[in-house]
Amino acid sequence: MTSAAAPRSYRIPLFCAVTLLFWFSMYTCVPILTAYVEELGASHKMAGLIVGMYGFSQMLLRIPVGIMSDRFHKRKLFITFGLLFSVLAGAGILVTNSVTWILILRALAGAAAATWVDFTILFTSYYKKDETTKAIGTISVYNTLGQMLGILCGGWFADMYGWESSFLIGAVVGMIGMAGSFFLIEKFDDNAQKITARGVMEVASDRTLLVVSSLAILFQILTFATVFGFTPVYAQSLHATKLDMGLLTFFSTFPTAVAAWVGGRHLAQKFGDRSIIIFGFVLNGVFSMMIPFTSDLGWLIFTQAIAGFGRGLATPILMSLSIKHMHPDKRATAMGFYQAIYGFGMFVGPFFMGAAGDWLTLKEGFVIIGALGCASAVLTHYLLRQKPVPKSTDSKSISN
């Protein structure tokens, strides 16, 4: 009885700590990566490809990783490998100045992020079935905290000790997280829904899921083209330090978390899901277009904070809409599809922005991206006109 109770006393705090360390490790390089590779001589297009490769490999690997971990009943193993890949991705940049190798290493970082599906599924297995939403909410908090702390520390270390230090601290923190992952408690429910290739094909034909996933792609394009991509590069033209770039990314991410935790759910109940998603796109579009017309770093941070607030309002609603109309037996597969497909936006956003920077100018690229955000608001108005019709009698809403 004691031995059974002991793991329960620490497994959730340990898992939350490992999750925080994982995302901390992954995000220390985010505020400075684009500027760093351009410092090494990469073109805007190549820099965008490097940033986007993180999302491309996620798109390709997330569903296969889910299928394999279901088959082998080894979610803990995949989590450990995810942390190992994060360490290798960070440490590898320390020993190379080749942009080609950095491109490969960012693909490896995307492979690490693909294991997030195992984090979420294993963690929710620690809770009762009727506490799934609570579990997802809890793990999402540590996901966001890890990202924000990694962004802030990465910028500070780069400013104090040079570019490479942000990659080094990410690798070190990843090693600590990997050590912690060896003590995670494996739990596998044979009766739990499994992600399969056939199941993915079945849910992929659902119109509502396709619409919501497409809108999520557009949000990722906006995010990875700007604050996770080329906004820090523009900040350099305003004489931003490496720490300033970290603060810029941090203060665009923090309002996202606040809006997701506090505002999105309550405002959606009052004004409707579609209205909040449209509002989120408008905020992102308008304040992205304002970037090239901003000549003060403080105002640039302000524009990105407002855009981040818009993302925080809309993205949890999109996640909820991806599964709320689905039969309970299909919800995990639908979520796996949703998370995989929006990786396409993580790739396209920075790649387009980099190409626009080479063919036109970065300023014109920001205007185009902002216009895309406003156009996406109009698209949302038409695509989400009709309320989804439940596919089964069980149509209870799950909002993650």
Side-chain angles (χ1 to χ4, degrees):
M1 195 75 175
T2 305
S3 60
R8 293 179 178 273
S9 66
Y10 75 83
R11 65 179 181 178
I12 289 179
L14 174 63
F15 201 105
C16 291
V18 170
T19 299
L20 187 149
L21 294 170
F22 174 69
W23 287 109
F24 185 110
S25 172
M26 295 285 287
Y27 270 69
T28 54
C29 68
V30 166
I32 56 96
L33 179 62
T34 311
Y36 174 68
V37 295
E38 291 193 2
E39 183 89 0
L40 295 178
S43 64
H44 289 318
K45 183 179 178 181
M46 185 61 178
L49 185 61
I50 288 171
V51 174
M53 191 55 64
Y54 171 77
F56 185 73
S57 57
Q58 283 189 65
M59 179 183 67
L60 295 180
L61 295 175
R62 245 181 182 154
I63 291 174
V65 165
I67 293 172
M68 285 191 294
S69 63
D70 268 339
R71 179 169 297 177
F72 296 112
H73 294 198
K74 298 291 184 182
R75 303 205 191 280
K76 174 181 168 181
L77 178 65
F78 280 87
I79 291 171
T80 300
F81 269 108
L83 282 150
L84 174 62
F85 291 162
S86 178
V87 171
L88 294 176
I93 299 178
L94 292 173
V95 298
T96 181
N97 289 324
S98 166
V99 293
T100 302
W101 271 108
I102 294 175
L103 176 71
I104 295 169
L105 290 166
R106 286 308 292 166
L108 187 63
T115 64
W116 178 236
V117 64
D118 291 292
F119 277 84
T120 55
I121 294 175
L122 180 56
F123 188 72
T124 54
S125 73
Y126 294 167
Y127 289 76
K128 298 177 182 177
K129 289 185 178 180
D130 59 357
E131 294 182 320
T132 298
T133 302
K134 176 183 176 182
I136 294 294
T138 300
I139 201 68
S140 295
V141 169
Y142 289 92
N143 172 345
T144 306
L145 282 175
Q147 291 178 2
M148 290 192 298
L149 290 173
I151 287 167
L152 196 58
C153 291
W156 184 83
F157 270 88
D159 195 51
M160 294 294 292
Y161 305 108
W163 297 104
E164 291 83 358
S165 64
S166 66
F167 304 110
L168 176 61
I169 190 65
V172 170
V173 170
M175 289 181 67
I176 297 171
M178 185 171 67
S181 72
F182 292 120
F183 300 96
L184 294 177
I185 305 300
E186 182 75 86
K187 182 179 179 184
F188 199 94
D189 184 0
D190 288 323
N191 297 319
Q193 181 204 350
K194 295 176 174 56
I195 299 174
T196 65
R198 182 177 179 180
V200 171
M201 294 301 295
E202 288 177 356
V203 302
S205 62
D206 180 82
R207 179 189 179 277
T208 300
L209 178 60
L210 288 172
V211 167
V212 172
S213 298
S214 298
L215 295 176
I217 287 173
L218 292 169
F219 258 113
Q220 295 296 343
I221 289 174
L222 291 167
T223 303
F224 277 78
T226 55
V227 69
F228 287 166
F230 285 89
T231 305
V233 174
Y234 180 77
Q236 280 191 307
S237 69
L238 303 180
H239 308 292
T241 65
K242 300 178 186 71
L243 177 59
D244 290 333
M245 287 189 279
L247 291 172
L248 168 67
T249 311
F250 176 83
F251 283 114
S252 69
T253 306
F254 182 71
T256 302
V258 171
W261 297 340
V262 179
R265 184 179 301 175
H266 302 294
L267 290 176
Q269 289 175 351
K270 185 174 182 180
F271 298 104
D273 292 338
R274 184 179 68 170
S275 297
I276 299 303
I277 295 170
I278 290 172
F279 185 52
F281 270 121
V282 169
L283 288 180
N284 271 266
V286 170
F287 285 93
S288 293
M289 280 193 287
M290 288 178 62
I291 291 172
F293 304 104
T294 305
S295 57
D296 178 78
L297 183 61
W299 280 109
L300 179 63
I301 291 175
F302 175 77
T303 63
Q304 297 306 281
I306 299 299
F309 187 80
R311 287 194 302 275
L313 289 177
T315 49
I317 297 172
L318 287 171
M319 185 178 292
S320 174
L321 289 176
S322 72
I323 60 172
K324 68 187 290 185
H325 67 293
M326 288 282 185
H327 188 278
D329 290 342
K330 295 182 178 179
R331 283 175 177 165
T333 302
M335 181 58 68
F337 175 85
Y338 174 82
Q339 290 184 354
I341 200 170
Y342 69 51
F344 183 67
M346 295 178 180
F347 171 72
V348 171
F351 180 73
F352 167 80
M353 194 67 188
D358 283 340
W359 297 337
L360 303 169
T361 66
L362 280 182
K363 291 184 177 182
E364 291 169 326
F366 284 124
V367 172
I368 294 171
I369 286 294
L372 174 64
C374 294
S376 299
V378 176
L379 189 65
T380 301
H381 175 76
Y382 288 103
L383 290 179
L384 292 181
R385 277 182 301 174
Q386 296 180 342
K387 190 174 182 180
V389 178
K391 287 197 161 191
S392 70
T393 56
D394 185 355
S395 58
K396 292 180 181 179
S397 171
I398 291 183
S399 178
N400 291 335

